[in-house]
Amino acid sequence: MTEQARGAAGAPARPASRPSLPTLETFSAFKSRPFTYLWINTMSFALVQATQRFAFVWLVIEGVERGGLGLGAGATGMVAFALGVPVLFVTIPAGVLADRMDRRTLVLGSQLVAVGVTFAAGVILLAGEMTTVIAMLLAAGVGATIAVGLPVRNAIVPTVVERDTLLKAIVMMSMAMNVSQIVGAGLGGLAIAIWGIGGAFVAQGVVLLIGTLALVPLRVPRAREAAEHRAPMQDLLDGLRFVWRHQGIRTLILLLAGSGIFMIGPFTSLLPLIAKEELGREALQSSLLFVFMGLGMTISSLGLASLPDLKNKGGWFIGSLMMGGFTLVVIGLSPWYALTATVMFTGGMAGGFFMNLNQTLVQANSPHEMMGRVVGIHTLAFQGIGPFGGLLAGLLAAQMGAPLWMAISGAVLFCLASMTLATQPSLRKMS
């Protein structure tokens, strides 16, 4: 056979959407210098966010000897609610501002506030003056910085990379979150074990301060000219109207809200409690469960970024949501730490598809001039509904036990995703 014949015969041997090993092209988004600066800052912010989510929940589980913090499922639900409830009030206004003013200024301001709140938490804990009310107020302060910083960072991404590298850029941002989940939760548990929870918060403040330096050289294009001439309320209504009228984006955001109630809420407030009370693990081993999940998300995210193309992204997203529901059921019923850790890893792999594809589909189908508002609504559905899921999980776990509510949440999520798969053919084919 001639070389030409072999080439022709071999051409279709590898489908365009078949996974391949990561190459330099996988990381092509880093060709953009502004994206690189943004990624470094996001990495530091996400590292601390992952640590803080674990540290605040662990704070109310153990209590502080001199502060008298409460214990139990209800308290963990309350702190999860305090961390996330600012999203409900801040995210959409932040999205409107992101379409009207310099997005770098918004990110920088939220980062500096986060530094101050984190150092304050460490100092109060080291002084032995922490109380339940102060802990909730500090958690709300941290949540406010997330509510502003997260949607603005996400809105910046499409403005600093080309459209054909948008999925890769979103995957790299997601990997910053995932790697931070791995390092942050593990180091958080280790820091608590070595220095106590007060020292852990001081260390988080230092990391945030270092990450702020990456914002100094960052330059971001303005969203649009003459934004000042439009009423902010009209901008908000235009964004809500666009999301509601776009069937695909509307369904994606509604599914995201459902995952906030039945997946993110139970995960945030109940997993450390289950690890401590049902599996008999302390802070470090409990935090490692989040590490296993982050590893799974990192692996699947790298595989997704290495695909030349992926057809029917919406269908893959729905499938990953079904896998998330199954994961919660197994975690709720598992009597063994090893099984829970294994399921966290496999569930994390599904989570890599879930997070990256949902965000990619929303951003790829939104106009740039409306990106801040759409991403703000997207973040509200995910981060803003999650606190209510955490509060609900804490209250119901106090009545029926954390493992049972975790399993029920997973079953509800699985049924919701299955119904969507059966009734939304346009979403299954969305790319």
Side-chain angles (χ1 to χ4, degrees):
M1 184 182 293
T2 65
E3 291 295 324
Q4 183 177 0
R6 279 196 297 268
R14 186 175 185 176
S17 61
R18 184 177 177 180
S20 59
L21 292 175
T23 64
L24 288 177
E25 185 61 25
T26 304
F27 306 95
S28 58
F30 290 107
K31 294 177 182 177
S32 166
R33 185 171 296 179
F35 175 79
T36 302
Y37 293 141
L38 181 66
W39 186 88
I40 292 171
N41 172 260
T42 301
M43 183 78 174
S44 69
F45 188 79
L47 178 68
V48 173
Q49 181 186 350
T51 309
Q52 286 176 337
R53 286 193 178 278
F54 179 82
F56 271 111
V57 171
W58 198 261
L59 173 64
V60 297
I61 290 176
E62 285 195 331
V64 177
E65 189 174 324
R66 291 178 59 188
L69 289 175
L71 305 174
T76 63
M78 287 175 62
V79 76
F81 181 78
L83 277 167
V85 74
V87 175
L88 198 63
F89 304 102
V90 177
T91 299
I92 290 184
V96 173
L97 288 175
D99 286 337
R100 299 174 65 86
M101 62 179 291
D102 182 34
R103 291 168 179 168
R104 171 184 172 274
T105 301
L106 287 174
V107 173
L108 181 59
S110 68
Q111 182 99 3
L112 290 174
V113 172
V115 171
V117 172
T118 304
F119 274 125
V123 170
I124 293 171
L125 281 163
L126 290 173
E129 299 297 329
M130 184 64 73
T131 66
T132 302
V133 173
I134 294 175
M136 297 302 169
L137 290 174
L138 289 170
V142 169
T145 65
I146 296 171
V148 174
L150 184 59
V152 177
R153 284 179 177 86
N154 289 339
I156 289 174
V157 174
T159 69
V160 295
V161 298
E162 299 295 331
R163 180 180 173 84
D164 58 355
T165 59
L166 178 60
L167 175 58
K168 295 181 185 348
I170 289 174
V171 168
M172 291 302 111
M173 292 291 282
S174 177
M175 281 188 58
M177 303 290 288
N178 298 340
V179 172
S180 298
Q181 187 79 29
I182 297 169
V183 179
L187 289 182
L190 183 61
I192 292 172
I194 296 174
W195 299 310
I197 198 161
F201 273 99
V202 171
Q204 293 162 26
V206 173
V207 173
L208 276 176
L209 191 59
I210 293 172
T212 305
L213 298 177
L215 295 174
V216 175
L218 176 65
R219 295 295 179 267
V220 180
R222 284 290 294 262
R224 67 179 189 268
E225 298 295 332
E228 307 73 16
H229 303 300
R230 295 174 56 86
M233 185 56 66
Q234 184 60 47
D235 276 354
L236 173 58
L237 292 175
D238 287 346
L240 292 170
R241 196 174 295 117
F242 170 79
V243 168
W244 184 252
R245 290 175 177 174
H246 194 296
Q247 182 179 355
I249 292 179
R250 183 178 71 236
T251 305
L252 286 167
I253 289 179
L254 288 175
L255 286 174
L256 204 60
S259 72
I261 296 175
F262 297 109
M263 182 166 65
I264 304 304
F267 258 133
T268 302
S269 60
L270 299 185
L271 187 60
L273 189 66
I274 289 174
K276 183 177 179 65
E277 296 189 353
E278 303 297 325
L279 303 178
R281 306 294 165 158
E282 294 303 320
L284 180 57
Q285 289 176 308
S286 298
S287 68
L288 287 177
L289 292 175
F290 292 99
V291 173
F292 295 134
M293 182 177 70
L295 281 170
M297 293 184 74
T298 300
I299 291 172
S300 63
S301 296
L302 274 175
L304 188 60
S306 301
L307 290 172
D309 189 22
L310 180 66
K311 304 296 183 183
N312 303 321
K313 293 184 179 70
W316 284 96
F317 164 75
I318 298 172
S320 68
L321 192 59
M322 293 172 66
M323 183 62 188
F326 176 76
T327 298
L328 287 173
V329 172
V330 176
I331 290 172
L333 300 178
S334 170
W336 304 300
Y337 181 84
L339 175 60
T340 301
T342 301
V343 172
M344 287 290 289
F345 175 77
T346 56
M349 294 189 71
F353 278 80
F354 171 80
M355 294 300 299
N356 291 311
L357 292 180
N358 183 280
Q359 190 173 338
T360 299
L361 288 168
V362 168
Q363 292 191 11
N365 290 277
S366 300
H368 283 285
E369 65 272 12
M370 205 169 284
M371 191 67 67
R373 284 161 285 173
V374 174
V375 171
I377 296 168
H378 179 272
T379 304
L380 174 65
F382 190 50
Q383 302 275 355
I385 301 299
F388 292 96
L391 186 63
L392 179 66
L395 293 174
L396 292 179
Q399 300 298 318
M400 65 178 64
L404 180 57
W405 179 247
M406 183 77 84
I408 290 174
S409 296
V412 171
L413 191 66
F414 183 87
C415 292
L416 179 64
S418 299
M419 290 175 58
T420 304
L421 185 67
T423 61
Q424 299 289 326
S426 60
L427 179 58
R428 293 199 304 264
K429 299 176 182 177
M430 191 174 177
S431 293

